[in-house]
Amino acid sequence: MHCSSPKMVCETKIVAEEHEAIAGTKKDSIIVSSAQMWTSSSPSPSALESKVEKRDQVFIREFERSDHEEVRRIFNEGIMERIPNSAFRGLKQQTRTQFIYALLTVMCYFMTKSFTLTFCAPFILMGARYYYSRKVILNYLDCALHTDMADIEAYYMKPTGSCFWVAVLQGQVVGIVAAQGREDDNTLELRRMSVDSRFRGKGIAKALGRRVLEFAMLNNYSAVVLGTTAVKMAAHKLYESLGFRRVGDTEDYTLPGMTRSLLERLFFQIRYSRYRLQLHEE
């Protein structure tokens, strides 16, 4: 199995709460870094409320070696959640596959004349989709954990123009995001965004995304790009709220680690969407 590390999918597990573009007004949840914080513009009415507000602030800082275990846990959790999403929710986007499954169910009746087998056919097909979704995504996860996610410092912290950040809430790492510079076209790729499932709905994903945009502007990149296979619309709405525009889709995308066998192609399909945010013209 061959794993190609430079071009991997930006796997995203987020809950998008805000839908304004980055050029719009700044709301309560904004970037909190080691150098600056995005906080509410209205003063806290009391010292007690101020303490609560400070406790709930999210800090975005650069990755440290001690974060590695928590970063891998959050990344692993986000990828594993994609198994049922790809197997079941993703089927809604696959009109051709729906037709093939319906045809196979009809063929089952004409070949067996059994109502029982025909009734069971859709469940067997869904079981096969889950099996192959799990197989493919576990292979992808294994590739990621043996390439860039195995040595974050070497892939993101040491190269000039790249970085990896963690979101910290109450002293705990709750989110991650990476940025990888591409010299060939002077763009910055947003990658590996994921938020701990216990802390979603707090604007953490948006804060991480804004940190990448801030980094891109400080380093004079012409654009920020990303690719995602996210099935849930929340991820796509988040990117749009940050100012990204969808520039293309690949309906039958090949994930790193896929074998492209006949059964794999029959029971696993995934859409790959490309987004771009132009910061300035070349």
Side-chain angles (χ1 to χ4, degrees):
M1 180 176 64
H2 176 68
C3 302
S4 54
S5 60
K7 287 292 295 178
M8 281 199 176
V9 183
C10 172
E11 299 293 348
T12 308
K13 302 300 295 181
I14 53 85
V15 176
E17 292 185 307
E18 306 168 62
H19 303 289
E20 81 281 5
I22 190 170
T25 57
K26 299 174 183 177
K27 299 178 77 174
D28 290 345
S29 296
I30 37 188
I31 297 174
V32 183
S33 64
S34 57
Q36 65 184 95
M37 291 186 294
W38 298 40
T39 56
S40 175
S41 58
S42 57
S44 54
S46 66
L48 179 62
E49 288 184 6
S50 179
K51 287 182 179 180
V52 172
E53 185 176 318
K54 185 174 181 180
R55 186 181 63 196
D56 290 338
Q57 287 175 346
V58 179
F59 293 86
I60 309 297
R61 62 167 173 80
E62 292 185 2
F63 169 84
E64 298 173 357
R65 187 171 297 179
S66 59
D67 300 325
H68 194 71
E69 185 176 343
E70 279 298 291
V71 166
R72 285 172 66 97
R73 180 190 65 79
I74 293 171
F75 178 72
N76 184 83
E77 177 191 50
I79 297 298
M80 293 300 292
E81 288 179 356
R82 302 187 65 76
I83 295 174
N85 286 337
S86 300
F88 308 126
R89 191 189 296 263
L91 184 58
K92 296 178 181 179
Q93 302 174 353
Q94 306 291 334
T95 306
R96 184 183 65 178
T97 303
Q98 293 176 28
F99 175 78
I100 292 173
Y101 290 175
L103 182 62
L104 289 173
T105 303
V106 172
M107 288 175 60
C108 176
Y109 172 74
F110 282 107
M111 292 177 67
T112 65
K113 303 297 183 182
S114 169
F115 286 105
T116 302
L117 286 176
T118 303
F119 176 78
C120 292
F123 297 97
I124 295 172
L125 292 170
M126 291 300 100
R129 279 189 67 86
Y130 184 85
Y131 171 82
Y132 279 97
S133 292
R134 179 178 174 83
K135 176 177 177 289
V136 168
I137 290 173
L138 285 177
N139 285 342
Y140 168 74
L141 178 61
D142 184 65
C143 282
L145 292 177
H146 285 84
T147 50
D148 63 313
M149 296 303 289
D151 194 347
I152 292 171
E153 289 184 321
Y155 272 84
Y156 298 110
M157 303 306 295
K158 291 181 180 179
T160 304
S162 298
C163 198
F164 195 104
W165 297 272
V166 297
V168 180
L169 179 63
Q170 298 177 20
Q172 181 177 352
V173 175
V174 296
I176 61 174
V177 71
Q180 190 170 50
R182 305 197 313 202
E183 294 182 359
D184 56 338
D185 58 358
N186 192 36
T187 61
L188 185 72
E189 183 180 5
L190 185 155
R191 311 181 71 205
R192 305 308 192 201
M193 184 186 286
S194 189
V195 175
D196 190 317
S197 60
R198 297 169 297 176
F199 297 93
R200 293 176 191 159
K202 298 179 181 294
I204 296 171
K206 195 158 196 175
L208 288 165
R210 282 174 165 165
R211 184 65 187 92
V212 173
L213 301 186
E214 180 188 68
F215 180 81
M217 290 184 285
L218 289 174
N219 286 273
N220 203 33
Y221 283 105
S222 61
V224 181
V225 298
L226 66 88
T228 181
T229 56
V231 175
K232 291 183 178 179
M233 288 306 299
H236 300 273
K237 289 180 179 178
L238 170 69
Y239 299 138
E240 292 168 0
S241 75
L242 287 169
F244 285 89
R245 294 181 60 187
R246 189 181 298 196
V247 294
D249 293 300
T250 301
E251 291 298 329
D252 195 8
Y253 184 71
T254 301
L255 282 175
M258 287 183 67
T259 63
R260 299 299 294 169
S261 66
L262 178 62
L263 288 175
E264 195 173 83
R265 283 182 288 155
L266 178 62
F267 293 111
F268 181 84
Q269 308 85 26
I270 198 161
R271 176 185 293 172
Y272 179 74
S273 300
R274 298 182 300 278
Y275 283 86
R276 183 182 183 94
L277 193 162
Q278 194 70 36
L279 300 176
H280 60 80
E281 296 299 328
E282 290 286 358

